[in-house]
Amino acid sequence: MRANYHRRRLSWFGGCLKQSKVFLGQDRLAPAELARLREERLQALLAHARERSAFYRERIPAGPVALEHVPALDKAEMMERYDDLVTDPRLRRDELLGWVETRRRDEFFEDRYRVMTTSGSSGRKGLFVYDREGWAAIGGQFLRGSTWFGVRPKLPRTRMVILGGAAVTHMSAQGGASLGVGVHRVLALRVTAPVEEQVAALNRFRPDYLNAYASAAMRLAEEQEAGRLRLSLSALSTSSELRTTAMTERLTAAFGVHPYDLYATTEGLLGAECERHDGIHLFDDNCIVENVDDDGRPVPPGEPGARVLVTNLYNRVQPVIRLAVADVMTIHPEPCPCGRTLVRAAAIEGRRDDVLSLPARGGGTVSVLPAHFSVITRDRAVREFQVRQEPGGVRVLVVPCADGDPELEARLRDAVARALGELGAEARVEVERCEALARPGGKLQIVQAMPG
Ligand SMILES: [Zn+2]
């Protein structure tokens, strides 16, 4: 049984590697050629969805269709109509959710499907299933990103660590399990494991490349600076959480490499920073990305949208067409000097971290982005923090690096109050120290708006 499992993983890894080569060959397509490739894949997807999905048959007109003539979709509706939306009738929402809850290790549903869930800020679970080809495309995109970071398959095999989601249903955990064969050696570590355990495992494994949530990487930077962790990395990337400039500087100092940003969503949109470190190239040869405002109208480059509509061009079993993803993005108006023609997001905020709306001096409100709280990460005494909005202001929960810094609260309160004041906000700031922060699903939400 396990031998069979291993053989299948090997063949999947082969698929990932093959796809990554195709994707890397598309990095610098002429814009017109890229648009043609996208359109061809889109029409094939729309025809497939219309033929095989009862849900999409109602929504997609016959013949070649302009994407904007297909209604946008939100996660609640996707989950509501899940059983009609998928193209394999064996996939049933309630059964899948029940099945995935009881998994204790990496497994396939019906011997062929990857099943993943997302928590989402609405509290409603999202369910995403990929078939063999689709899952290899996810792996291929991950390898594409790591190739950009300078991680190349080599002998002896490259050693990668993916420090990721706590749940086996999370994409990073399954990604680690899938890629851990072949030319790379991959160790998947849980971000919720005690830091002493992470340090011991990392010192034993000696990775060349580490990918971690930003807050988890920061925790490891502290261990590296203290000499308990002894990594010699050739590449480092962070994903899923806010990484401020101050955090980037500290990670660079601790590990001697400039960290890259890797962007991955379970919906299937992935992206990565190139060597210019100026925004994230979205892999829009594999997904169509529409940046839209609150009313669903397209937002021009240079301006922040309210959410993005994602059309996944490679998931055939669960077609994702114009699905709203709650990321606040600004598309860079200029092509990247690196020559890659993939669209570039100048900034991605939101999703895990909320944009706060705080009272302004003299009435009205001021929008405060997660990055505005970078003054907190600049303080060396801070291990990690979380900002929670409260009536009339914010409460900053801080886990200090060591006890016995009696000035910490006052210092942070002043720094945050000053930063908010410069934005024109009139907000009360409280700072409270605590032992640990909650990480539902393994990720830390750094900024939390008031519910409602
Ligand atoms: Zn670039």
Side-chain angles (χ1 to χ4, degrees):
M1 190 66 197
R2 293 305 282 176
N4 189 23
Y5 168 79
H6 184 72
R7 199 164 44 242
R8 195 165 38 207
R9 280 204 313 175
L10 254 176
S11 103
W12 282 32
F13 184 82
C16 296
L17 205 59
K18 208 159 97 191
Q19 296 222 34
S20 75
K21 286 184 181 142
V22 173
F23 301 154
L24 286 162
Q26 290 167 185
D27 282 355
R28 291 178 170 82
L29 287 182
E33 213 177 321
L34 184 58
R36 199 175 56 230
L37 172 75
R38 218 184 272 129
E39 181 60 22
E40 223 176 79
R41 296 185 70 184
L42 172 65
Q43 293 307 326
L45 170 74
L46 294 177
H48 168 81
R50 197 168 45 222
E51 194 188 311
R52 302 281 298 276
S53 156
F55 174 75
Y56 283 115
R57 202 168 303 133
E58 297 165 11
R59 301 163 72 95
I60 305 175
V65 189
L67 186 56
E68 59 268 28
H69 293 150
V70 181
L73 175 66
D74 64 24
K75 195 153 90 179
E77 193 177 11
M78 178 187 86
M79 291 306 287
E80 201 58 51
R81 302 280 317 270
Y82 192 86
D83 295 359
D84 286 338
L85 182 144
V86 290
T87 61
D88 183 338
R90 285 176 294 181
L91 299 174
R92 290 274 166 267
R93 181 193 63 200
D94 295 346
E95 190 193 342
L96 286 168
L97 287 173
W99 181 84
V100 87
E101 293 278 301
T102 57
R103 291 314 98 184
R104 290 290 166 266
R105 59 184 167 88
D106 181 49
E107 276 175 76
F108 307 93
F109 182 76
E110 292 275 338
D111 228 26
R112 58 188 299 178
Y113 291 123
R114 284 273 161 191
V115 182
M116 287 170 286
T117 56
T118 59
S119 42
S121 46
S122 58
R124 173 133 206 195
K125 242 182 196 162
L127 178 63
F128 292 90
V129 171
Y130 287 85
D131 63 10
R132 177 196 167 91
E133 281 288 304
W135 183 243
I138 295 264
Q141 293 179 91
F142 176 78
L143 291 178
R144 176 194 224 171
S146 59
T147 305
W148 289 13
F149 308 157
V151 181
R152 297 222 155 70
K154 65 172 168 75
L155 288 170
R157 301 189 300 169
T158 306
R159 306 166 78 84
M160 298 184 178
V161 169
I162 298 177
L163 181 57
V168 76
T169 57
H170 190 271
M171 190 160 80
S172 57
Q174 297 200 19
S178 288
L179 290 168
V181 289
V183 292
H184 294 307
R185 284 201 61 195
V186 180
L187 175 68
L189 277 180
R190 301 281 163 89
V191 70
T192 43
V195 73
E196 299 77 29
E197 238 171 70
Q198 294 177 25
V199 167
L202 287 164
N203 281 335
R204 253 193 326 269
F205 190 75
R206 289 175 287 108
D208 307 298
Y209 166 47
L210 168 68
N211 179 72
Y213 298 147
S215 66
M218 287 298 286
R219 184 69 187 86
L220 293 177
E222 197 186 317
E223 294 295 310
Q224 182 89 358
E225 283 164 350
R228 290 183 290 272
L229 180 64
R230 295 175 297 277
L231 294 186
S232 163
L233 296 175
S234 56
L236 167 67
S237 60
T238 65
S239 52
S240 300
E241 295 172 353
L242 172 73
R243 194 182 82 212
T244 63
T245 312
M247 289 162 84
T248 303
E249 283 164 9
R250 182 147 178 211
L251 290 171
T252 308
F255 293 108
V257 287
H258 193 306
Y260 286 87
D261 208 338
L262 180 72
Y263 173 76
T265 68
T266 315
E267 290 83 354
L269 176 61
L270 278 78
E273 247 179 6
C274 68
E275 64 281 2
R276 301 273 172 164
H277 298 286
D278 185 15
I280 294 176
H281 286 283
L282 300 171
F283 298 160
D284 67 339
D285 47 351
N286 286 315
C287 281
I288 296 175
V289 184
E290 298 172 84
N291 200 18
V292 297
D293 65 13
D294 275 320
D295 301 318
R297 285 180 307 232
V299 169
E303 286 175 29
R307 57 182 176 273
V308 288
L309 303 179
V310 172
T311 298
N312 178 323
L313 297 171
Y314 59 90
N315 188 344
R316 288 304 170 95
V317 69
Q318 180 179 338
V320 163
I321 302 172
R322 305 196 83 202
L323 178 64
V325 172
D327 278 353
V328 175
M329 262 186 211
T330 304
I331 299 298
H332 206 297
E334 302 295 330
C336 186
C338 76
R340 293 179 182 88
T341 46
L342 303 168
V343 73
R344 186 164 46 132
I348 303 177
E349 311 255 7
R351 192 179 185 86
R352 297 296 307 181
D353 300 303
D354 295 327
V355 175
L356 301 185
S357 182
L358 295 179
R361 256 191 316 270
T365 58
V366 176
S367 288
V368 180
L369 301 178
H372 288 130
F373 293 102
S374 63
V375 288
I376 305 171
T377 51
R378 246 175 250 143
D379 196 306
R380 282 298 175 113
V382 175
R383 173 170 295 162
E384 55 189 29
F385 72 97
Q386 185 173 52
V387 177
R388 292 187 187 161
Q389 186 179 18
E390 295 179 340
V394 295
R395 175 173 299 271
V396 182
L397 302 178
V398 180
V399 180
C401 290
D403 293 335
D405 184 352
E407 311 297 319
L408 180 68
E409 284 93 338
R411 191 168 66 234
L412 288 178
R413 193 164 45 236
D414 287 353
V416 173
R418 204 174 319 118
L420 294 178
E422 281 167 16
L423 293 168
E426 175 104 69
R428 192 173 34 78
V429 177
E430 302 279 359
V431 177
E432 184 185 316
R433 77 179 67 200
C434 58
E435 300 234 314
L437 297 170
R439 285 187 150 73
K443 277 186 230 178
L444 178 64
Q445 186 180 3
I446 294 173
V447 181
Q448 251 175 23
M450 241 173 342

